[in-house]
Amino acid sequence: MKLKSLLFFVVALTVLACGNDKSVGKDENHKVEKSASFDYNVEQFADIKVLRYQIPDWETLTLKEQKLVYYLVQAGLSGRDIMWDQNYRHNLKIRKALENIYTNYSGDKGSDNWKAFEIYLKRVWFSNGIHHHYSNDKLKPEFSSDYLKELLAKTNTVLEGDAFDVIFNAKDSKKVNQAKGVDNVGLSAVNFYGPNVTNTDVINFYKAKKSPNPEKPLSFGLNSQLVKENGVLKERVYKSGGLYGQAIDEIIKWLELAKAIAENEAQGNALGLLIDYYKTGDLQTWDDYNVAWTAATEGNIDYINSFIEVYNDPLGYRGSYESIIQINDFDMSQKMKVISDNAQWYEDNSPLMDAHKKKNVVGVTYKVVNVAGEAGDASPSTPIGVNLPNANWIRAAVGSKSVSLGNITQAYNNAGNTGRLKEFVHDDKEYELEKKYGQLADKLHTALHEVIGHASGQLNPGVGETKETLKNYASTLEEGRADLVGLYYLYDSKLQELGLVEDWKKIGMAAYDGYIRNGLMTQLIRLNLGDDVEEAHMRNRQWVSAWVFEKGQKDNVIEKVTKDGKTYFNIKDYDKLHELFGQLLRETQRIKSEGDYAAVEALVETYGVKVDQAIHAEVLERNKQFTSAPYSGFVNPVLVPKKDDAGEITEINVTQPETFSGQMLDYSAHYNNLPEVN
């Protein structure tokens, strides 16, 4: 599970402080990283702000550790194009054509049409395809089909048929369709399912699958595409020699180099199992790998790599490719370790029903890490926190790893405030609370969400995995449940007892103000007027906020205020709001534990989907005064190896991309590992 950053009214978090080498070398798009006066901002276009991040203390790593990071980063980037093809079947063909135009067109580049073309291409790059990375809506070009035909002709570029037409027509309009009462699979453009595959097909296909050990259910569907051949359903497995085999072979090559210099035996064994999984596509091997990876907690370097998060599948079966390479921040990790050390206390004292509490919380670890490179579903738009593995039985029996991405949040903090905060706070008291305590509250919410939230609770005996029981509502229910764990414990003296805060009430109040303000108002700047809420995290923030607002009305817990023609939500009773969060947490865990589909459907559809149109229109109007984009993402630092005459790496330097387009073109040139995907 991953926690997405919220960067539209306040900066989210603070940080307490070899042969056949395809790596990108130095050129006009790169500059050597310097810490002094580091420029975190790259550029802004449409609704996107592109930032850059540093890799703190890179020079303190040994050469062996630097090489390990380098190999893992190369492995991650080698699978980049998998994500593009997973997102939509025509994405790679469209990207190749647009990039060829961009690099070869010699006509008028000062025209409005060309500027619109550039923005469209950058939006496609940022989203890893032609659908918006967050809303899932198809991106709309601000130029005509005739102009694109002109560009194609003048650059001798071929793009025709459905791949051309889909840029301008209404077909495949949404990457992931989560609407109620429709064929979500059939109406989603994501390339996890072949033509004519339906919700019913998918559900029945996997209902017939049986795990060898029912207490350790395999993640059926995670690493394959489901298609119909002559009317018969068939999985096309992602593996060497299978679907995406060319890219996977490149991933394997770099993982083998990493395994050879692993920091310790446990890390090496885990990498070996990941390699075996990529070679075979065997889901038992995937579980064996996750068990080994979860237990491998020693060392400076860690990583995430494979088909993992299922948010892009409308039914929650198939994993998107992603990679995040991590360097441990030992000082910060040691400070925050107290949270994971007290996981059992948090479980025992939660408002969950006793039957839904884990009697023995095991293997929960939490670290603050610095990212050294990201790819696939984690780039350019990145999470700020991750908790893995996702399999419930592994969490219960073995444990989980939680990380906060420290240098990513530091980059957000240093990129500049958007100025929206003062516009949407109710009064000066709320403003001062946010300014003084908001960043620490957000950091602690991330930690509690990832470490305690996702690791808490248990399923009732005999209840299936949530993707089977809660179906298209599984992701938003899980994210909301983890948010609620964090919210419940943010307003608790335990934080002060553990030495994490000096004033737990002020921290909790700032957290509650920010969450309600965002869930009921400010996140709406990400939607077009009239749109429903569809993204899982946005849905959960709305249904949590709207539920507690409604349930607290009789006691005036949250007051809806109109002042000078503007709407605000003012919390009047933080103690009662804390109780309401506890009640909703108890109910969401019950829904998950019992697999209560009717209840989750009612909860999400009643509170999390529809938007108050008057408030939405007002928020959009009030937001017009701000120029900062509502979404942010990153270019990656570039690791440049130096080699001796024998070809051995003797040094690895960190450089920074000068431009977003430069890095995207470099990636397409050096990691083009899926030239032919059918």
Side-chain angles (χ1 to χ4, degrees):
M1 301 293 178
K2 61 174 70 170
L3 185 62
K4 288 287 188 178
S5 173
L6 315 177
L7 294 172
F8 29 85
F9 65 101
V10 64
V11 178
L13 304 172
T14 188
V15 178
L16 297 177
C18 358
N20 193 26
D21 193 340
K22 288 191 175 183
S23 65
V24 183
K26 293 182 181 178
D27 61 24
E28 68 277 8
N29 293 315
H30 304 144
K31 61 183 179 183
V32 176
E33 177 176 309
K34 297 182 185 299
S35 296
S37 65
F38 184 81
D39 186 2
Y40 290 91
N41 293 285
V42 179
E43 66 174 303
Q44 181 171 309
F45 51 86
D47 58 354
I48 301 298
K49 180 192 290 185
V50 180
L51 308 174
R52 56 172 66 90
Y53 62 90
Q54 296 176 285
I55 307 177
D57 301 321
W58 173 257
E59 66 281 356
T60 66
L61 297 179
T62 67
L63 179 59
K64 181 181 177 183
E65 290 170 333
Q66 290 182 352
K67 288 167 68 174
L68 177 60
V69 171
Y70 173 70
Y71 294 151
L72 291 170
V73 168
Q74 296 304 307
L77 289 170
S78 295
R80 171 184 183 247
D81 280 1
I82 295 175
M83 187 69 226
W84 280 77
D85 192 72
Q86 285 183 314
N87 276 342
Y88 185 56
R89 65 187 180 279
H90 293 311
N91 273 340
L92 289 173
K93 188 178 294 184
I94 291 170
R95 188 191 76 194
K96 182 177 180 180
L98 298 182
E99 289 177 344
N100 195 61
I101 291 171
Y102 186 74
T103 55
N104 291 290
Y105 181 63
S106 59
D108 182 5
K109 295 186 178 181
S111 70
D112 290 342
N113 272 332
W114 178 258
K115 292 176 182 177
F117 171 81
E118 281 189 301
I119 290 174
Y120 179 74
L121 174 55
K122 289 177 181 179
R123 296 184 77 192
V124 170
W125 277 330
F126 192 89
S127 295
N128 294 316
I130 66 169
H131 296 87
H132 194 279
H133 73 286
Y134 211 86
S135 73
N136 290 310
D137 292 329
K138 190 164 63 174
L139 301 172
K140 296 179 180 178
E142 298 296 325
F143 54 85
S144 68
S145 59
D146 287 340
Y147 181 68
L148 182 55
K149 288 177 181 177
E150 176 187 330
L151 295 178
L152 291 167
K154 289 184 176 180
T155 55
N156 295 315
T157 305
V158 176
L159 183 66
E160 55 193 6
D162 289 344
F164 177 93
D165 294 339
V166 76
I167 295 174
F168 302 97
N169 64 24
K171 188 176 180 181
D172 295 331
S173 61
K174 190 169 285 291
K175 184 176 75 174
V176 184
N177 190 315
Q178 293 281 17
K180 176 184 176 182
V182 301
D183 181 13
N184 305 99
V185 168
L187 292 177
S188 295
V190 68
N191 195 25
F192 287 145
Y193 300 98
N196 303 316
V197 177
T198 67
N199 281 15
T200 301
D201 289 330
V202 177
I203 292 168
N204 289 338
F205 184 83
Y206 290 109
K207 188 180 292 184
K209 297 271 188 183
K210 302 298 180 185
S211 296
N213 183 348
E215 295 184 359
K216 298 180 178 181
L218 300 177
S219 300
F220 290 123
L222 185 70
N223 65 334
S224 66
Q225 181 189 58
L226 188 64
V227 300
K228 275 185 179 178
E229 291 186 1
N230 300 317
V232 178
L233 289 168
K234 173 186 176 183
E235 287 184 313
R236 302 175 70 201
V237 178
Y238 311 150
K239 64 175 183 175
S240 177
L243 188 57
Y244 304 138
Q246 290 173 283
I248 288 172
D249 286 342
E250 281 295 308
I251 297 171
I252 290 171
K253 180 190 78 175
W254 290 105
L255 289 179
E256 287 177 334
L257 290 170
K259 179 178 181 293
I261 58 169
E263 295 179 278
N264 50 64
E265 184 178 3
Q267 186 183 73
N269 289 341
L271 283 165
L273 285 166
L274 180 58
I275 291 166
D276 290 344
Y277 169 62
Y278 272 130
K279 287 180 177 179
T280 64
D282 180 69
L283 290 172
Q284 182 59 62
T285 304
W286 171 246
D287 279 355
D288 294 342
Y289 160 71
N290 275 284
V291 169
W293 175 82
T294 302
T297 58
E298 301 299 321
N300 293 342
I301 314 301
D302 210 345
Y303 62 94
I304 294 166
N305 182 298
S306 199
F307 312 104
I308 298 172
E309 303 291 2
V310 297
Y311 302 113
N312 286 320
D313 183 343
L315 297 187
Y317 283 89
R318 307 190 129 67
S320 296
Y321 175 80
E322 72 171 301
S323 171
I324 305 175
I325 313 308
Q326 311 155 15
I327 302 170
N328 190 19
D329 182 333
F330 278 96
D331 289 341
M332 269 305 303
S333 295
Q334 190 61 36
K335 289 176 184 177
M336 298 302 294
K337 183 174 178 290
V338 65
I339 293 179
S340 55
D341 286 346
N342 281 272
Q344 190 67 59
W345 182 93
Y346 282 112
E347 187 79 353
D348 293 343
N349 289 275
S350 75
L352 307 186
M353 300 178 191
D354 288 341
H356 300 156
K357 294 180 182 180
K358 289 179 179 175
K359 302 301 182 288
N360 183 28
V361 179
V362 298
V364 177
T365 64
Y366 175 56
K367 293 180 180 180
V368 178
V369 300
N370 291 314
V371 172
E374 299 179 309
D377 198 31
S379 179
S381 177
T382 173
I384 54 174
V386 184
N387 176 276
L388 292 172
N390 285 330
N392 284 302
W393 77 262
I394 297 178
R395 290 175 182 274
V398 182
S400 62
K401 287 180 179 179
S402 296
V403 295
S404 292
L405 310 186
N407 57 337
I408 296 296
T409 59
Q410 183 182 43
Y412 282 138
N413 289 338
N414 285 281
N417 198 300
T418 66
R420 290 186 176 93
L421 176 60
K422 206 153 194 174
E423 174 63 35
F424 290 100
V425 295
H426 171 251
D427 52 26
D428 289 341
K429 179 183 176 183
E430 184 179 337
Y431 179 77
E432 292 303 324
L433 268 176
E434 177 61 45
K435 293 293 286 184
K436 187 171 183 179
Y437 299 103
Q439 289 187 358
L440 179 56
D442 284 337
K443 179 181 73 67
L444 290 169
H445 193 196
T446 300
L448 290 166
H449 172 112
E450 297 294 349
V451 184
I452 306 302
H454 285 310
S456 69
Q458 62 184 3
L459 301 180
N460 286 0
V463 173
E465 292 293 295
T466 53
K467 66 185 178 186
E468 300 163 354
T469 58
L470 306 184
K471 302 173 185 176
N472 51 311
Y473 299 108
S475 292
T476 190
L477 190 283
E478 177 59 23
E479 292 305 322
R481 192 185 67 85
D483 264 3
L484 285 162
V485 171
L487 290 166
Y488 186 76
Y489 284 119
L490 277 166
Y491 195 76
D492 191 291
S493 60
K494 186 69 173 180
L495 290 177
Q496 196 159 332
E497 177 189 321
L498 296 176
L500 293 170
V501 302
E502 293 181 357
D503 190 331
W504 65 268
K505 276 205 168 185
K506 294 290 178 60
I507 289 289
M509 290 166 67
Y512 285 13
D513 287 342
Y515 198 89
I516 296 301
R517 185 170 62 244
N518 178 34
L520 295 180
M521 292 194 72
T522 53
Q523 74 170 359
L524 297 179
I525 71 170
R526 294 184 163 197
L527 299 178
N528 296 317
L529 189 62
D531 286 354
D532 289 342
V533 181
E534 296 202 47
E535 197 278 332
H537 298 80
M538 286 187 71
R539 276 188 170 188
N540 90 243
R541 290 189 289 267
Q542 178 166 298
W543 61 252
V544 168
S545 301
W547 189 94
V548 294
F549 173 68
E550 179 188 279
K551 301 304 180 184
Q553 281 185 317
K554 62 181 173 55
D555 295 321
N556 199 30
V557 176
I558 303 172
E559 181 183 30
K560 183 179 178 182
V561 178
T562 301
K563 184 169 58 177
D564 299 327
K566 297 179 179 180
T567 304
Y568 303 90
F569 289 91
N570 183 40
I571 300 173
K572 303 290 287 185
D573 192 328
Y574 292 93
D575 291 337
K576 286 187 177 179
L577 181 54
H578 176 254
E579 292 176 13
L580 288 171
F581 282 139
Q583 292 172 25
L584 185 55
L585 171 57
R586 181 183 178 94
E587 172 61 7
T588 55
Q589 183 61 55
R590 184 200 66 78
I591 290 171
K592 178 179 179 179
S593 295
E594 297 178 3
D596 190 340
Y597 180 81
V600 73
E601 180 183 57
L603 176 64
V604 176
E605 293 294 337
T606 302
Y607 299 101
V609 177
K610 297 300 179 183
V611 176
D612 183 315
Q613 293 302 300
I615 287 182
H616 193 185
E618 178 193 323
V619 168
L620 293 176
E621 183 63 32
R622 291 165 67 181
N623 186 61
K624 286 181 179 178
Q625 63 187 293
F626 305 109
T627 58
S628 183
Y631 300 98
S632 295
F634 292 85
V635 291
N636 288 302
V638 183
L639 305 182
V640 183
K642 287 186 177 180
K643 297 181 180 180
D644 60 20
D645 292 340
E648 293 296 320
I649 294 175
T650 59
E651 180 183 347
I652 300 176
N653 291 314
V654 179
T655 68
Q656 288 288 344
E658 293 278 12
T659 65
F660 178 57
S661 57
Q663 179 153 93
M664 294 300 99
L665 291 171
D666 280 342
Y667 283 174
S668 292
H670 292 275
Y671 304 102
N672 180 28
N673 293 324
L674 291 179
E676 302 292 338
V677 177
N678 297 315

